[in-house]
Amino acid sequence: MNTVTLKIEKTTNDTILKFTANTILISGSYQFNNIDEAKNSPLAQQLFHLPFIKRVLISANFIALERFSIVEWSDVQEEVKEQIENYLNSPGGVLVLEETETIKKVPVEIYSEVTPNPSVLKFVANKKLVEFDLEYKNIEEAKNSPLATELYNFSFVKEIFISENYVSITKFDVVEWSEITNEIRSFIKQFIADSKTIVDKSVQPKNKEQQGIQLEDLDDVSKQIIAILDEYIKPAVAADGGNILFQSYKQETKVVNVILQGACSGCPSSTITLKNGIENMLKQLIPGQIEQVVALNQ
């Protein structure tokens, strides 16, 4: 058996350090946020006994560790590297016990898609994820979604939009997608494969007033607008990792108010899309009734 050696690699987050191996260590990806979660990983348990270890991620050919601020990696990284190498090269140095593997896995594939918004990437699943769209601007809003909450553990995640079969993630500018895409894709795939809860069943649509608009309470023009958005606009917007919600129509000003979600929110090209796409289409299909389309959260 060849000796496992590790190479220390910095990441864009100075609290996280990667120890990359010269061979494949494990199939799949496992994240442990505390010693209780690590009961099926002897190595992770051992690492959590170090007082500065905050989180452990074990993936195909590397082990990533997040530290608390009580130390700097430069002070301890060589000792940690030696400890992990000794464990990996010891007899019976199993990373994750078989018990973890007995959990029924859900067959799932995840692939990433670019969107018109350079800050947003779309992670598409080959299975249904949720019944309705959910948008989270921060971790406090995400408390009813275990998937979103865990995604916010990645320091570069800014906003999350979960739709029927995809997750759109908005990142902070401190990292490039090329650095983190595989990590996020693997994490989402593992989360779903482990049959973890994506969103609590008690959760209702966040924008209930938009999701459940009573058509009988609306004027004829508003009904036409909603029909056009549903038939022509939403499918195209969803393909780009976003969503558009009808908010209101003011007959006196002929202004349509909408809400943009996911990749559409904050997108540099969203103004052009509104003016050249949605606004022009509504003007053509409902002549004389539309003057302007405004995104309330643009």
Side-chain angles (χ1 to χ4, degrees):
M1 178 178 173
N2 294 330
T3 300
V4 178
T5 59
L6 299 176
K7 181 174 67 173
I8 297 173
E9 295 184 352
K10 293 182 179 180
T11 69
T12 54
N13 185 334
D14 63 5
T15 65
I16 298 176
L17 202 64
K18 285 177 66 175
F19 298 84
T20 303
N22 61 338
T23 185
I24 298 298
L25 300 174
I26 197 170
S27 174
S29 179
Y30 301 87
Q31 179 177 303
F32 306 104
N33 298 307
N34 52 61
I35 196 168
D36 291 330
E37 291 185 6
K39 61 183 180 180
N40 293 319
S41 173
L43 174 60
Q45 282 192 319
Q46 189 180 110
L47 291 168
F48 274 120
H49 282 107
L50 299 173
F52 52 84
I53 295 298
K54 181 179 181 181
R55 186 164 53 131
V56 178
L57 174 67
I58 301 175
S59 194
N61 70 328
F62 70 86
I63 295 167
L65 302 178
E66 182 176 0
R67 63 171 174 81
F68 288 106
S69 57
I70 57 174
V71 298
E72 296 296 329
W73 276 122
S74 58
D75 298 327
V76 296
Q77 62 187 32
E78 291 299 332
E79 289 83 356
V80 173
K81 171 177 173 286
E82 182 179 355
Q83 179 176 336
I84 298 174
E85 282 182 339
N86 288 340
Y87 179 88
L88 294 175
N89 290 299
S90 65
V94 178
L95 288 177
V96 180
L97 296 175
E98 193 67 26
E99 181 184 346
T100 302
E101 299 299 328
T102 62
I103 298 173
K104 185 178 179 181
K105 299 290 183 181
V106 176
V108 61
E109 291 298 328
I110 302 290
Y111 65 91
S112 59
E113 285 185 356
V114 297
T115 75
N117 189 338
S119 295
V120 180
L121 205 62
K122 181 180 175 184
F123 296 86
V124 185
N126 62 341
K127 68 184 297 293
K128 189 171 184 176
L129 303 179
V130 292
E131 295 295 332
F132 47 80
D133 295 340
L134 294 158
E135 185 175 40
Y136 303 106
K137 298 290 188 180
N138 53 61
I139 194 169
E140 288 300 316
E141 292 184 3
K143 60 185 178 181
N144 291 321
S145 170
L147 172 58
T149 298
E150 292 203 27
L151 283 170
Y152 271 116
N153 287 327
F154 294 99
S155 59
F156 46 76
V157 172
K158 182 180 180 182
E159 296 177 11
I160 300 167
F161 178 72
I162 306 176
S163 193
E164 184 178 23
N165 72 324
Y166 68 85
V167 180
S168 285
I169 294 179
T170 306
K171 69 173 180 64
F172 288 103
D173 293 335
V174 293
V175 294
E176 298 298 326
W177 280 120
S178 58
E179 301 174 53
I180 59 176
T181 297
N182 288 338
E183 185 178 7
I184 291 292
R185 185 183 63 80
S186 297
F187 174 80
I188 294 175
K189 180 178 179 179
Q190 188 67 48
F191 188 97
I192 297 170
D194 288 342
S195 300
K196 292 183 179 180
T197 301
I198 294 174
V199 60
D200 293 343
K201 291 182 179 179
S202 60
V203 176
Q204 297 297 316
K206 184 183 175 188
N207 294 290
K208 193 173 180 180
E209 66 274 16
Q210 291 92 27
Q211 299 275 1
I213 290 175
Q214 300 300 313
L215 291 178
E216 60 268 21
D217 297 333
L218 299 176
D219 59 84
D220 290 341
V221 175
S222 295
K223 293 177 183 177
Q224 287 181 273
I225 293 169
I226 292 173
I228 293 169
L229 291 178
D230 288 346
E231 184 175 356
Y232 298 104
I233 307 300
K234 282 194 174 186
V237 172
D240 287 336
N243 189 32
I244 183 170
L245 297 172
F246 172 81
Q247 174 69 22
S248 63
Y249 168 70
K250 298 179 180 179
Q251 288 182 309
E252 60 274 16
T253 59
K254 300 180 180 179
V255 172
V256 180
N257 290 317
V258 297
I259 293 176
L260 300 178
Q261 294 180 312
C264 299
S265 179
C267 177
S269 62
S270 61
T271 300
I272 298 173
T273 302
L274 280 174
K275 298 302 176 185
N276 295 349
I278 301 170
E279 188 173 282
N280 286 346
M281 179 177 288
L282 289 175
K283 285 180 177 179
Q284 291 173 11
L285 297 179
I286 316 175
Q289 299 298 322
I290 309 296
E291 284 295 328
Q292 187 180 16
V293 176
V294 177
L296 297 180
N297 61 330
Q298 192 175 26

